[in-house]
Amino acid sequence: MIKVKDTLGIISMIIFVITLSIAVTIWFIPLYQITIQTQNIPESLGLTYDKLMDNYYALLQYLHFPWIQELNLPDFISSENGLLHFFEVKLLFYLNYSVLLIAFVSTFFYLKFVKRTGRIWVLIKPFFFASLIPPVLLFFLAVNFDSMFVSFHQIFFNNDAWIFNPATDPIINALPQDFFMYCFILFFILIETSFILGYQISKRKAFKTSK
């Protein structure tokens, strides 16, 4: 029974780290601000920086708030395929936040259980092995981000609506591929940092309780 609790608890912790890192990456607005400023995106689109940010905020609000059921970008038109893709992204965001909430609750109670039973040492190996994965993924990202980007969309979307035509969905010009690459990098850095901290903290606490 304890082994089952450990397995489910550790899985919950890893899922919690992943979904939280996704949420933080989504809401890390400075990443978009830096991207459009360094690549002169507002100038290339004939918009001011503030106007472009207004469109980005409108997109974020649509993707997050259930009561906003239609995507209306102030300065960009959208095709049916474009609207379909953003709707599917909205559903994925909701799925991520739902799993994040469940994983948080499960992780909270599992950590209380581990602390109460004095078995913090069981967390050391899972965090250690989990910390080996992000560097490998970052390597593949650095070698060929294009293939990784395409594979990502093929896994999470069962259509090609994500392939935007700038003529019918000009918003794609405001979302350069480099921005998504930076998002992936930030995501991997966040989960790697979380796993390393988890490993160091569990190792330190386990050592203290063994004394």
Side-chain angles (χ1 to χ4, degrees):
M1 186 64 179
I2 290 181
K3 285 187 177 181
V4 173
K5 281 188 176 181
D6 285 338
T7 301
L8 294 177
I10 290 168
I11 291 174
S12 293
M13 291 180 64
I14 293 174
I15 292 175
F16 173 67
V17 168
I18 292 173
T19 52
L20 179 61
S21 297
I22 292 173
V24 171
T25 300
I26 291 170
W27 282 106
F28 194 67
I29 296 174
L31 194 61
Y32 182 70
Q33 294 172 321
I34 293 170
T35 303
I36 64 173
Q37 288 178 320
T38 56
Q39 297 194 12
N40 298 317
I41 300 297
E43 291 84 352
S44 67
L45 295 177
L47 296 172
T48 64
Y49 168 82
D50 289 337
K51 268 189 169 294
L52 184 53
M53 288 306 302
D54 286 341
N55 285 270
Y56 186 67
Y57 290 136
L59 178 58
L60 281 182
Q61 289 167 3
Y62 167 75
L63 294 175
H64 286 88
F65 302 147
W67 57 88
I68 301 180
Q69 298 182 0
E70 293 184 6
L71 176 61
N72 293 307
L73 300 173
D75 300 285
F76 297 97
I77 59 172
S78 298
S79 68
E80 288 188 11
N81 275 352
L83 292 174
L84 171 63
H85 177 64
F86 283 126
F87 175 71
E88 291 178 329
V89 173
K90 184 185 183 89
L91 295 180
L92 284 177
F93 279 13
Y94 288 169
L95 176 61
N96 183 75
Y97 291 126
S98 299
V99 174
L100 171 59
L101 179 60
I102 295 170
F104 169 75
V105 174
S106 179
T107 298
F108 175 78
F109 285 108
Y110 176 64
L111 288 177
K112 287 188 67 175
F113 166 73
V114 168
K115 186 177 180 180
R116 187 177 69 251
T117 55
R119 300 171 58 258
I120 296 178
W121 55 268
V122 301
L123 305 178
I124 298 175
K125 282 188 178 180
F127 275 127
F128 173 76
F129 287 114
S131 69
L132 301 178
I133 299 174
V136 175
L137 295 177
L138 269 173
F139 171 76
F140 284 113
L141 185 149
V143 171
N144 196 343
F145 174 72
D146 290 344
S147 295
M148 193 171 182
F149 188 69
V150 171
S151 297
F152 170 83
H153 283 83
Q154 290 176 337
I155 291 171
F156 288 99
F157 303 99
N158 61 356
N159 54 57
D160 59 359
W162 61 273
I163 304 176
F164 280 25
N165 181 345
T168 56
D169 291 286
I171 184 61
I172 194 60
N173 294 321
L175 298 168
Q177 186 165 300
D178 283 353
F179 168 63
F180 295 104
M181 181 178 68
Y182 301 150
C183 287
F184 274 95
I185 292 172
L186 175 60
F187 165 70
F188 287 130
I189 289 174
L190 288 172
I191 59 174
E192 177 68 4
T193 302
S194 299
F195 290 148
I196 291 176
L197 285 175
Y199 170 72
Q200 294 292 344
I201 292 172
S202 58
K203 188 177 179 181
R204 191 181 307 119
K205 288 185 176 294
F207 177 74
K208 286 182 179 179
T209 55
S210 65
K211 292 178 68 176

